[in-house]
Each structure stands twice: as C-alpha cells, then as structure tokens.
Amino acid sequence: MYKILLTLFLIIFVNKNLHSQNVNLDEYEIYLGNTLIAKHNFIKNGQNLNENQAKTIEFKPITNGPKKAYYLNGTLYSSGKMENLKENGIWEYWHPNGQKARKGEFINGKPNGTHEYWYENGNIRSIGNWKNGVYDGRWEMYNEDGKEKTIQNYKDGKQIL
C-alpha cells in the first residue's frame, strides 16, 4: 500500500510541477542517484522502486555529451552521444536481459543509415536503412528463429512493391 501511495504522490507531484511550469518532458533526463534511467523503463516500472530509491529520483535538463542509460534492474539500456540535445552518431541499445537490441546512426535525433535490430534471444530481427527518420531503401526482416526472411523496399517512408 505504501508503494502505491508513494508512486501516486510522485506522479502527482512531478506532473503538477512540470505542467505548472510548462516544461516539456522530452527535455529532461531521469536520474536515480547518479544513474541515468531509460524513460520508458521508468514509466513502465517506476512504481516498483523502494522507498530509498524513490527519494533519489531527479529530473534534470538533457545535456550534451556521451550518455549511458540503464534499466531499473541495472542492465545497460543505451549508449551514445548527445549533441544539440539530440541523439547524434552511433547509438546502441540493449534488451533488459543484456542482449543487444539495436545499433545505428542518428542525426539530430533521427535514425539515418543502416540500423540492425536483434531479438532478445540474440538472433537478428532486421537490417534496414533510414533516411532522415523514415524507412528508405532495403529492409530485411527475420522471424525469431532466423529461418525465414522477408525483404521490403521503401522510398521516403513508403513501401515500394
């Protein structure tokens, strides 16, 4: 019961303070102590924090430089560099079990060039090209056991038949 009340309090407090100041949540990072936490993981699992962890939560403006974000379980979630407050350069992402999930380049926060994706079991999921944040070029997609492959081609985000 205490965790539920604490979580409710945190949600109300954060939302009230951020919205009353017209703050864009996309401009903030979530820290648990000195550890940068993956936003989607915090939103999904933040209610499972213990009392001591909840006391160390901080919302800080996004800063430039190298970044490593973690799942709440301590596993590395992402690694890359922020420039102009957006993802730039090569970024890597991992599943909660530690298996690599994705690798590719970002320019001004948008995926660009070839990206590779993996299933949690380590098998390749897809390889494809992005251009300015939309699918562009050849995409190879595999089923989870890696035995079947589908090829699709895109131009400016639209599939070409």
Side-chain angles (χ1 to χ4, degrees):
M1 181 69 169
Y2 179 77
K3 282 185 179 181
I4 294 170
L5 290 174
L6 181 61
T7 302
L8 260 166
F9 170 76
L10 287 171
I11 291 169
I12 292 168
F13 177 76
V14 169
N15 282 335
K16 181 178 184 269
N17 284 329
L18 292 176
H19 290 300
S20 67
Q21 298 172 17
N22 294 323
V23 174
N24 182 351
L25 290 177
D26 291 335
E27 296 174 0
Y28 283 81
E29 298 171 326
I30 302 168
Y31 283 84
L32 194 58
N34 292 325
T35 303
L36 178 59
I37 301 298
K39 285 181 189 179
H40 86 278
N41 185 242
F42 178 79
I43 291 166
K44 182 178 178 183
N45 299 307
Q47 73 277 6
N48 296 326
L49 295 175
N50 65 43
E51 181 181 353
N52 290 333
Q53 289 173 315
K55 289 179 183 178
T56 67
I57 296 170
E58 288 187 67
F59 295 84
K60 299 178 182 179
I62 294 173
T63 57
N64 291 320
K67 298 287 178 177
K68 285 190 178 189
Y70 294 83
Y71 288 99
L72 289 169
N73 71 7
T75 303
L76 184 62
Y77 168 74
S78 66
S79 178
K81 185 177 179 183
M82 298 292 281
E83 291 178 4
N84 300 318
L85 308 180
K86 296 181 181 179
E87 297 94 345
N88 276 284
I90 301 297
W91 275 78
E92 294 181 272
Y93 297 84
W94 289 265
H95 292 289
N97 68 1
Q99 289 285 342
K100 191 174 280 192
R102 178 181 185 178
K103 181 178 181 180
E105 179 185 24
F106 285 77
I107 298 175
N108 290 320
K110 295 178 181 177
N112 201 63
T114 301
H115 281 235
E116 297 174 274
Y117 300 79
W118 293 269
Y119 289 103
E120 285 190 67
N121 67 10
N123 287 344
I124 191 75
R125 182 177 188 161
S126 61
I127 301 171
N129 294 299
W130 291 88
K131 184 177 178 184
N132 200 29
V134 297
Y135 290 176
D136 195 74
R138 180 183 169 106
W139 278 82
E140 296 176 8
M141 291 160 275
Y142 301 84
N143 63 358
E144 198 162 351
D145 66 12
K147 293 182 180 175
E148 294 184 37
K149 174 170 81 169
T150 302
I151 296 175
Q152 296 177 346
N153 289 291
Y154 291 85
K155 179 72 176 162
D156 299 324
K158 295 183 177 139
Q159 187 175 358
I160 301 170
L161 300 176

